[in-house]
């Protein structure tokens, strides 16, 4: 997915001269085409994320669009105050892109696992929070991010994720996408883990359960109408996020449901308020922490009874 | 060279800034009066002689950019900006008040204020971004950042210092209101910045060191920018925290306090208003 993002951005940047990339010494093997094509719109500030964000803000305030880009938590947590005070409070055109959300960098360890980002970014006023599920969403989200006036947080996958959607999609910030129709229950995912929700729906189908699958690519602003529609027309919701269960997608969906006075069977799948204290690859960790299609299907089935 | 008349005018303005800062911080018994008092003379020269800014056209593309990184000294900056006509003078009396026009730390919601600060270490990175963009686009305007010595404790400030030199941003001027006092003590006892000038030279900046209360020295130092072609400029302005009001001068308390009600009259008398 990161290649899709970088290629798309390069295409957009050929026409839109406002686009600047501001890096903190991360992006090897991906950012070189941009750096070579637009040396005057590219800067590597060195290993200094606070400065990356402040410099990006200064560049954006001069009428540009500045993209900060790094892996996992690097462009969010170290420089959270710069994102809040400089970028969001001034509502400037800085786009924060991370490669490898959730457990994507598995065996690299906790420092490289971005598992609180959705909650933290979602708490910031004027911030859009987006996590594309597959390549077509990633491409569309890149265009939407550049078109959007103001800060955007973009959580990008880092490898060759399978396609969730067949054919064209109508991608808009704040509008979830139904990847599969169903009437018995809804599985709502965000980001690349949504594909596991889709696989879970396939498993459920074999057991006679028809699950709807929603890609909630925009965690903020969240698609309230779609959530309420899922509650009313499918009777139950399971959220799936590669993230702590507090404050992210599941939290956002729960807020919508409870404020709407909708009481339905509901379950959040995510990390259970814990860091990853074991060692393993992305896929292995996903299984260990309950993200396997089998476990998602089992959780959904448990809600229906 | 400044004429006697100019020096007289500058003194008048500096007194006005100091008196306003005393008045404003006393309104709701807020703090940071010492931080406004120490930079008052710098502000006078900047706004009277150095900065190319237009109160009636505060967003003009060719304006010099000026960021106050020590945002807690908002009262002083608001005073001179009101004097220059960026906004009505009666806004000053609403400082820190309910439904007021001016909050305790400098805010971009006020016309002419380039950037909001309040947490230290944020100003210089943003000015580096602005200066970099200006340079790449061949713009002629300059970018100024007025910092405190406390600002120079922050890692982000040093990240920006290194980057500015790396990219030879000679359209950037950092001015330190070096009043030697920070929130919990004297800077020499907290984080000693000395040898400050030498350090900044080694970091690749062109450095000047002046008396930050001497109008001639301030003006001379800023009359030619950059100090050295191809290097960002660093002006270390030696100042006195709380300058002009003896009960405040060179005290740590002046970082937190205002001039108390029962000392107001004496303070104004000392300032000569
Ligand atoms: Mg100080």
């Amino acid at each position: 997915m990161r290649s899709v993002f970088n290629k798309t951005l390069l295409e957009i940047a050929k026409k839109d001269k406002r686009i600047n990339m501001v890096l903190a010494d991360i992006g090897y093997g991906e950012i070189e085409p941009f750096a070579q094509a637009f040396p005057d719109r590219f800067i590597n500030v060195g290993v200094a994320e606070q400065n990356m964000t402040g410099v990006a803000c200064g560049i954006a305030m001069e009428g540009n669009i500045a993209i900060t880009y790094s892996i996992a938590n690097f462009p969010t947590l170290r420089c959270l105050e710069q994102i809040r005070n400089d970028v969001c409070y001034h509502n400037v055109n800085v786009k924060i892109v991370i490669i490898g959300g959730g457990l994507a960098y598995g065996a690299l360890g906790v420092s490289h696992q971005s598992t609180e980002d959705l909650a933290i970014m979602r708490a910031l006023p004027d911030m859009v929070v987006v996590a594309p599920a597959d390549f077509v969403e990633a491409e569309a989200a890149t265009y939407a991010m550049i078109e959007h006036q103001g800060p955007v947080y973009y959580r990008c996958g880092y490898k060759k994720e399978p396609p969730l959607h067949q054919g064209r999609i109508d991608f808009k910030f704040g509008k979830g996408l139904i990847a599969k129709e169903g009437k018995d229950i809804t599985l709502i995912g965000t980001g690349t883990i949504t594909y596991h929700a889709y696989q879970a729906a396939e498993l459920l189908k074999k057991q006679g359960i028809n699950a709807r699958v929603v890609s909630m690519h925009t965690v903020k602003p969240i698609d309230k109408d779609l959530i309420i529609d899922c509650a009313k027309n499918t009777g139950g919701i399971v959220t799936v996020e590669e993230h702590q269960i507090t404050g992210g997608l599941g939290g956002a969906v729960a807020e919508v449901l409870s404020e709407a006075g909708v009481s339905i069977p509901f379950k959040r799948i995510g990390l259970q308020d814990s860091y990853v204290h074991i060692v393993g690859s992305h896929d292995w960790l996903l299984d260990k922490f309950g993200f396997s299609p089998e476990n998602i299907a089992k959780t959904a089935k448990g809600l229906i009874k | 060279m400044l004429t006697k008349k100019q020096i007289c005018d500058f003194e008048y303005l500096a007194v006005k800034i100091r008196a306003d800062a005393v008045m404003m911080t006393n309104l709701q018994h807020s703090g940071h009066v010492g931080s406004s008092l120490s930079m008052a003379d710098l502000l006078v020269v900047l706004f009277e002689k150095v900065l190319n800014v237009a109160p009636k056209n505060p967003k003009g593309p060719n304006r010099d950019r000026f960021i106050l990184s020590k945002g807690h000294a908002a009262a002083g900056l608001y005073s001179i900006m009101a004097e220059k006509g960026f906004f009505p003078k009666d806004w000053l009396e609403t400082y820190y008040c309910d439904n007021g026009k001016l909050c305790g730390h400098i805010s971009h919601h006020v016309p002419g204020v380039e950037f909001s600060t309040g947490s230290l270490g944020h100003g210089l990175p943003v000015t580096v971004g602005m200066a970099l963009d200006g340079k790449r686009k061949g713009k002629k305007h300059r970018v100024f950042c007025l910092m405190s010595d406390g600002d120079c404790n922050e890692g982000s400030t040093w990240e920006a210092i290194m980057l500015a030199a790396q990219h030879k941003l000679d359209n950037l001027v950092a001015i330190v209101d070096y009043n030697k006092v920070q929130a919990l003590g004297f800077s020499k006892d907290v984080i000693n910045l000395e040898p400050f000038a030498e350090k900044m030279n080694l970091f690749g900046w062109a450095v000047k060191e002046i008396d930050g209360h001497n109008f001639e020295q301030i003006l001379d130092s800023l009359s030619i920018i950059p100090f050295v072609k191809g290097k960002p400029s660093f002006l270390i302005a030696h100042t006195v925290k709380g300058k002009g009001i003896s009960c405040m001068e060179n005290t740590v308390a002046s970082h937190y306090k205002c001039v108390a009600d029962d000392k107001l009259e004496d303070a104004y008398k000392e300032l000569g208003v």
Side-chain angles (χ1 to χ4, degrees):
Chain A
M1 188 184 289
R2 68 180 197 267
S3 303
V4 172
F5 167 77
N6 278 293
K7 273 187 200 136
T8 309
L9 184 70
L10 189 65
E11 279 309 307
I12 303 172
K14 283 177 188 164
K15 292 182 199 115
D16 192 336
K17 292 190 174 17
R18 297 173 301 163
I19 296 174
N20 281 246
M21 276 195 107
V22 186
L23 268 61
D25 217 30
I26 292 274
Y28 181 79
E30 289 293 340
I31 52 79
E32 292 81 358
F34 190 103
Q36 281 153 17
F38 312 112
D40 272 0
R41 293 193 270 140
F42 172 88
I43 184 170
N44 177 2
V45 306
V47 189
E49 292 79 12
Q50 295 180 70
N51 198 35
M52 168 176 75
T53 307
V55 167
C57 182
I59 290 174
M61 290 184 91
E62 294 295 336
N64 305 295
I65 298 171
I67 291 149
T68 62
Y69 172 103
S70 191
I71 59 172
N73 296 313
F74 297 1
T76 51
L77 299 192
R78 176 67 150 269
C79 46
L80 179 57
E81 195 182 65
Q82 278 77 13
I83 296 174
R84 179 184 182 271
N85 296 8
D86 302 352
V87 174
C88 290
Y89 177 42
H90 293 83
N91 198 16
V92 295
N93 255 330
V94 171
K95 320 295 179 181
I96 300 150
V97 177
I98 72 151
I99 304 302
L103 305 176
Y105 289 111
L108 283 180
V110 167
S111 63
H112 285 58
Q113 292 162 359
S114 179
T115 51
E116 300 81 29
D117 54 332
L118 300 176
I120 293 167
M121 291 298 110
R122 189 166 84 85
L124 299 170
D126 290 325
M127 180 71 88
V128 167
V129 178
V130 65
D134 67 0
F135 287 10
V136 289
E137 283 193 15
E139 184 183 359
T142 309
Y143 279 98
M145 174 177 89
I146 298 301
E147 271 164 36
H148 178 79
Q149 179 70 34
V152 174
Y153 173 62
Y154 182 120
R155 187 203 239 215
C156 187
Y158 94 120
K159 55 186 178 187
K160 200 162 184 235
E161 292 85 0
L164 177 72
H165 302 285
Q166 325 300 331
R168 289 188 151 281
I169 55 168
D170 181 19
F171 186 97
K172 283 193 188 76
F173 280 163
K175 287 282 162 216
L177 292 168
I178 297 175
K180 181 186 167 302
E181 256 310 354
K183 56 176 181 20
D184 300 328
I185 194 158
T186 302
L187 311 176
I188 304 179
T190 194
T192 55
I193 198 68
T194 308
Y195 188 70
H196 281 213
Y198 184 84
Q199 288 176 305
E202 300 276 279
L203 294 174
L204 288 167
K205 203 156 117 193
K206 287 178 193 152
Q207 301 169 46
I209 297 168
N210 211 347
R212 181 189 275 186
V213 178
V214 168
S215 168
M216 196 63 81
H217 48 74
T218 314
V219 177
K220 183 188 168 187
I222 197 133
D223 190 344
K224 292 178 186 171
D225 294 343
L226 181 57
I227 292 167
I228 290 167
D229 180 84
C230 293
K232 290 193 170 150
N233 294 313
T234 74
I237 292 176
V238 176
T239 58
V240 187
E241 61 196 305
E242 238 180 290
H243 188 268
Q244 304 293 348
I245 53 161
T246 41
L249 172 71
V253 171
E255 288 163 15
V256 171
L257 291 173
S258 70
E259 284 201 333
V262 180
S263 177
I264 51 154
F266 174 71
K267 194 87 186 163
R268 296 167 296 161
I269 292 177
L271 295 170
Q272 302 295 312
D273 197 26
S274 171
Y275 294 111
V276 172
H277 295 286
I278 52 178
V279 182
S281 68
H282 188 198
D283 289 341
W284 187 82
L285 288 176
L286 287 178
D287 279 355
K288 280 277 172 198
F289 285 93
F291 294 101
S292 66
E294 292 75 16
N295 189 58
I296 297 169
K298 197 176 130 198
T299 305
K301 204 174 168 188
L303 281 192
I304 292 171
K305 292 287 155 72
Chain B
M1 273 294 280
L2 287 164
T3 63
K4 274 217 168 89
K5 162 93 171 54
Q6 282 173 314
I7 291 179
C8 220
D9 290 346
F10 282 11
E11 269 164 7
Y12 172 83
L13 269 176
V15 164
K16 183 156 191 327
I17 293 173
R18 290 191 167 99
D20 280 344
V22 167
M23 177 275 288
M24 291 162 73
T25 50
N26 177 270
L27 284 172
Q28 299 295 324
H29 294 170
S30 58
H32 304 129
V33 69
S35 314
S36 283
L37 296 173
S38 64
M39 69 174 190
D41 302 309
L42 291 166
L43 288 180
V44 169
V45 177
L46 279 167
F47 277 83
E48 288 298 299
K49 284 282 181 189
V50 179
L51 294 177
N52 174 30
V53 289
K56 297 297 166 225
N57 183 23
K59 300 253 186 217
N62 299 322
R63 74 192 184 281
D64 286 336
R65 277 63 165 163
F66 172 77
I67 289 182
L68 180 70
S69 191
K70 42 176 288 184
H72 55 283
L77 179 56
Y78 284 141
S79 169
I80 189 132
M81 290 185 74
E83 186 65 31
K84 298 301 288 184
F86 282 96
F87 54 85
K89 285 184 190 174
D90 57 14
W91 287 17
L92 299 180
E93 279 150 42
T94 73
Y95 176 82
Y96 223 92
C97 296
D98 293 344
N99 202 28
K101 291 284 191 185
L102 309 172
C103 71
H105 288 89
I106 200 78
S107 168
H108 68 288
H109 293 310
V110 177
V113 174
E114 199 75 53
F115 192 67
S116 299
T117 57
S119 174
L120 295 179
H122 284 249
L124 198 60
V126 175
T127 52
V128 167
M130 290 174 162
L132 182 73
D133 189 69
K135 208 146 187 66
R136 284 173 162 181
K137 290 176 180 163
K139 300 276 182 67
K140 293 283 172 267
H141 64 260
R142 294 90 43 94
V143 184
F144 293 80
C145 186
L146 178 52
M147 305 197 289
S148 66
D149 34 21
D151 243 330
C152 297
N153 289 185
E154 291 278 6
S156 52
T157 296
W158 291 93
E159 292 176 0
I161 284 170
M162 292 189 284
L163 189 70
Q166 177 76 30
H167 289 272
K168 304 182 169 52
L169 299 181
D170 61 5
N171 54 346
L172 175 65
V173 185
I175 303 166
V176 178
D177 173 17
Y178 193 15
N179 61 29
K180 326 281 188 308
V181 177
Q182 52 189 89
L184 271 188
F186 293 94
S187 36
K188 69 175 169 37
D189 301 324
V190 182
I191 291 288
N192 190 1
L193 294 168
E194 295 298 333
F196 202 7
E198 196 184 328
K199 212 177 265 181
M200 293 313 302
N201 266 313
L202 291 171
F203 270 79
W205 288 56
V207 186
K208 286 185 184 176
E209 210 166 354
I210 56 158
D211 173 354
H213 298 305
N214 182 310
F215 295 127
E216 292 273 7
Q217 287 189 29
I218 301 168
L219 183 58
D220 277 356
S221 65
L222 293 173
S223 57
I224 296 170
I225 293 167
F227 298 168
V228 173
K229 201 171 173 350
K231 289 184 174 191
S233 304
F234 202 82
L235 181 62
I236 299 173
H238 291 273
T239 57
V240 174
K241 186 114 172 177
K243 174 76 175 176
I245 296 175
S246 45
C247 67
M248 287 289 168
E249 280 192 5
N250 208 28
T251 64
V252 175
S254 78
H255 186 79
Y256 289 100
K257 295 194 173 161
C258 62
V259 176
D261 296 354
D262 61 347
K263 298 229 170 74
L264 266 186
E265 208 172 311
D266 287 348
Y268 290 136
K269 205 177 286 172
E270 199 177 347
L271 287 172
V273 290

